[in-house]
Amino acid sequence: MPKTCDLQINIDGQQIFFLKEKVISKYCGRVKKSLNHQKRRCHVKDFGIRINDFPGGPDGFELVSRFCYNSGKIQITVANACLLHCCAIHLGMTNEVFNNNLLHQTETFLKGIYYWKWNDILVSLMSCKLFYTYADRYGLLERIICALLGKITQNSDTNNLLTSSSSASSSSSSPESFSAKRLSSSTKTTTSTTTPKKIRSTLPNKAWWFDDVATLPPKIIEKLFQTIGAYKADNKNLILTRFLLHYLKIATQTKVVNSSNSNEYAALAETAVYGVIFVGKKIFSCRGLFWVLRIVSGFGLSRGCRTELEKLIGGMLEQATLDDLLVSGHDMGVYYDVNLVIRLVRLFVDINCSDDGIGVCLQKLKRVGRLIDKYLREISPDQNLKISKFLGVAECLPDSARDCYDGVYKAIDIYLESHPSIIFEERSRLCRCLNYSKLSFEASKDLAKNPRIPPRVAMQALISQQSKIPTSEFVPEGPRSKSSQIVLYNEANRESFSQEKKDVRLSLEGMQWKVIELEELPKEMNGEVSKLFTNVLLNPVRARSSPRFC
C-alpha cells in the first residue's frame, strides 16, 4: 500500500478503498470517531475500518471519497442528491465536523424539491430503490412523494382542489403547500399546513400520470400509498385504485414479477382489491370484477381479501358471460380454475337464496344455470379435469336452476368422448348429475343410442320418458287379447298420429333391441332387465313407479 494511503475502508465486504486518514476524517465524523477509538487501543500507523450496509454500497462511498478529495465540493444532481444525503447522515458529515459539509449542501439542494420538474422528481424517486431503507428512515421518500403528489394536483384540470382554510388556499400556488410532512430535526424545515388526508381528497380523476408513476418499483409505490393514507383496507380512493390496477397489469404483462419479488406486490394487490370492494357494483360491472380478479390472482392475496372480492362477484354472477368464467387455472393442473367457479356459484346461491332455499330469484338462477351448462361443455375436453370436479360444477346449482338437462348431457358426452379410458362404474357416477325427467325426448333417444353411456343409465333415461307418452291412442286389439300382446296404435287412426308419437313408437321398439344388447350383462341382472322392460311395454303407468337402479 502506498505511504500516502494509511487507511483502508472495507465497504460491505465488496470493495476496499485505500485512502488518506487525514482527508477522510476531516469530513466524516463517524470515521474520525472510529479511528480515535482504535488509536487509544493500539499504536499502529495503518488502520482498517469495515462499514457494512452502506447506502448505495461501494458506489455511494466512492461519491463521498470524491467529495473529500475535492476539498468538500461535488456536483449535486437530482440523480445523486438523495444518495449523497443518506451517505452524509450515515457518516456524520455535519457542519459540526466541517463547515458547509456534505449534509448541509444536500439539504440546501433538496429544499428546492417542490420546484423540480416532473421528470426530475421521478428520477430522484427511482434512485432511492438501491438504498430504500435509508431513504425511508431519513424521511426522503415521504418528502419526494409529497412533491410528486403536489405536481399531480397542480397539473389537474379540476378547480379548487384544496378545500381547506383560506390560508391553505392562498398558498396553494406554491409547490411546497402540497407537502404532507417535512423532515423535522435533521432537515430543519417547517411543517406544511396541507396533510396527506387533504391531498388524498383532492386527487383529480385524471390518468395522465399513470404510466410515469408506474415505472417506480413496488416498495416506493407502497410507500406512496402509506404516505397518502390509502394503504390496504384504508384505500377508499377510486383514482388510486385504478392506478394500482394499471400498475399491476403492467407488472403482469412485462413479467417483472417472479417468485423472488412477488411478495413485494402482494400488499399492493390487496390495496387495490380493498379499493374495488369499497366502490363495489356501483362502479365495476361483473366483467370488470372478473378483470380485477385476473390481475390480482397471481400476487398471493390473503384469504379474507380474496373471499370479499369473490362475494362481490358471486352476488352478481347472473351478469357474467362464458368468457368471464374462463379464468386460468395457473398451476393447479387444470386449464381453467374450476374451484373458483364452484365457489362463485355457491356464493351466488347463498346471496340470492333465503335460508330455506326457496326465495331465490328464479330468473337469475336459470340464467346462471344456462351459463354453467355452457361452462361445462367448455371444460369437458380438459384431460386433467377429474369427475369429482365436473360433478362439483354440475351439482353446485339447485335442480330448479334448469328447466332442461340437455346441456348437461351434452357436456357429459363431450367428457366421455375426451376421456375414453374411464371405467364403467365411473361413467355411471358421472351421469348422476342428470335429471332424466328433464331431458328432452330427442336427448333421451340420443342417450339411449350412445355407446359411451352405461346401459342402466340409458334405461333410466328412457323409462323417465314414459310419463310423456300419450296413452289415448294405445288400445288393445280386442277384449280377449293376451297380456303378452299389445297394439301400439289403432289401425283406424293411423293417419292421425303426429310425428312425435311416431318417434315415441320407434323409441319403444328400440328399447326392445336394447334388451337384447343387455343380455350380455350378468345373469342376475338380465332377469331384472327383462322384467323391467316387460312392465314398461305392458303397463306404462306401473313402470313410472318402478325404482331406479342407480
Side-chain angles (χ1 to χ4, degrees), residues 39-302:
K39 288 179 180 179
R40 288 193 297 267
R41 295 183 59 186
C42 55
H43 301 280
V44 293
K45 294 183 178 180
D46 298 336
F47 295 96
I49 300 175
R50 181 185 178 97
I51 303 178
N52 294 320
D53 197 21
F54 190 81
D59 292 337
F61 189 81
E62 183 178 350
L63 289 176
V64 172
S65 61
R66 287 182 183 179
F67 173 84
C68 297
Y69 274 86
N70 197 30
S71 302
K73 298 178 182 178
I74 192 172
Q75 183 179 4
I76 301 177
T77 66
V78 295
N80 66 17
C82 292
L83 177 57
L84 287 172
H85 187 78
C86 292
C87 291
I89 296 177
H90 193 70
L91 291 175
M93 302 175 73
T94 64
N95 284 349
E96 296 176 357
V97 178
F98 184 84
N99 188 36
N100 194 29
N101 211 337
L102 182 59
L103 181 60
H104 176 75
Q105 293 184 33
T106 56
E107 182 55 44
T108 302
F109 183 86
L110 290 170
K111 282 182 179 180
I113 192 173
Y114 300 100
Y115 298 98
W116 290 1
K117 296 179 181 180
W118 171 257
N119 287 338
D120 291 341
I121 296 176
L122 289 174
V123 170
S124 181
L125 267 178
M126 183 64 75
S127 70
C128 296
K129 177 181 179 180
L130 298 177
F131 49 97
Y132 174 86
T133 302
Y134 289 103
D136 186 24
R137 181 187 305 169
Y138 300 147
L140 278 176
L141 278 178
E142 189 172 342
R143 198 181 201 183
I144 304 173
I145 286 171
C146 287
L148 183 78
L149 295 172
K151 290 295 182 181
I152 291 176
T153 52
Q154 273 187 323
N155 288 276
S156 167
D157 293 334
T158 307
N159 296 323
N160 300 323
L161 289 176
L162 295 178
T163 58
S164 57
S165 63
S166 59
S167 61
S169 299
S170 63
S171 63
S172 62
S173 59
S174 171
E176 285 197 348
S177 66
F178 296 98
S179 172
K181 184 179 178 182
R182 309 293 176 80
L183 297 176
S184 54
S185 57
S186 62
T187 58
K188 297 181 182 180
T189 57
T190 59
T191 303
S192 171
T193 58
T194 304
T195 64
K197 184 177 180 180
K198 293 177 181 177
I199 295 177
R200 180 181 61 192
S201 64
T202 59
L203 281 174
N205 189 13
K206 299 292 180 181
W208 62 267
W209 49 275
F210 278 21
D211 288 333
D212 290 338
V213 179
T215 61
L216 298 173
K219 284 187 177 181
I220 294 179
I221 298 297
E222 183 177 347
K223 182 62 179 180
L224 186 153
F225 276 78
Q226 291 173 343
T227 300
I228 208 170
Y231 187 62
K232 289 196 174 181
D234 293 329
N235 178 25
K236 299 178 182 179
N237 188 290
L238 180 59
I239 303 303
L240 294 177
T241 299
R242 286 175 175 168
F243 164 72
L244 268 186
L245 293 173
H246 176 76
Y247 183 79
L248 296 172
K249 177 184 176 183
I250 292 177
T252 303
Q253 291 176 340
T254 55
K255 298 181 179 180
V256 298
V257 184
N258 50 53
S259 57
S260 62
N261 65 359
S262 60
N263 60 324
E264 297 180 3
Y265 291 86
L268 297 180
E270 286 197 16
T271 302
V273 170
Y274 281 118
V276 171
I277 294 172
F278 179 74
V279 296
K281 60 180 68 176
K282 296 178 182 178
I283 301 297
F284 288 89
S285 64
C286 186
R287 169 156 289 190
L289 292 174
F290 270 106
W291 176 77
V292 171
L293 184 63
R294 283 182 169 88
I295 291 177
V296 302
S297 290
F299 295 103
L301 292 177
S302 65

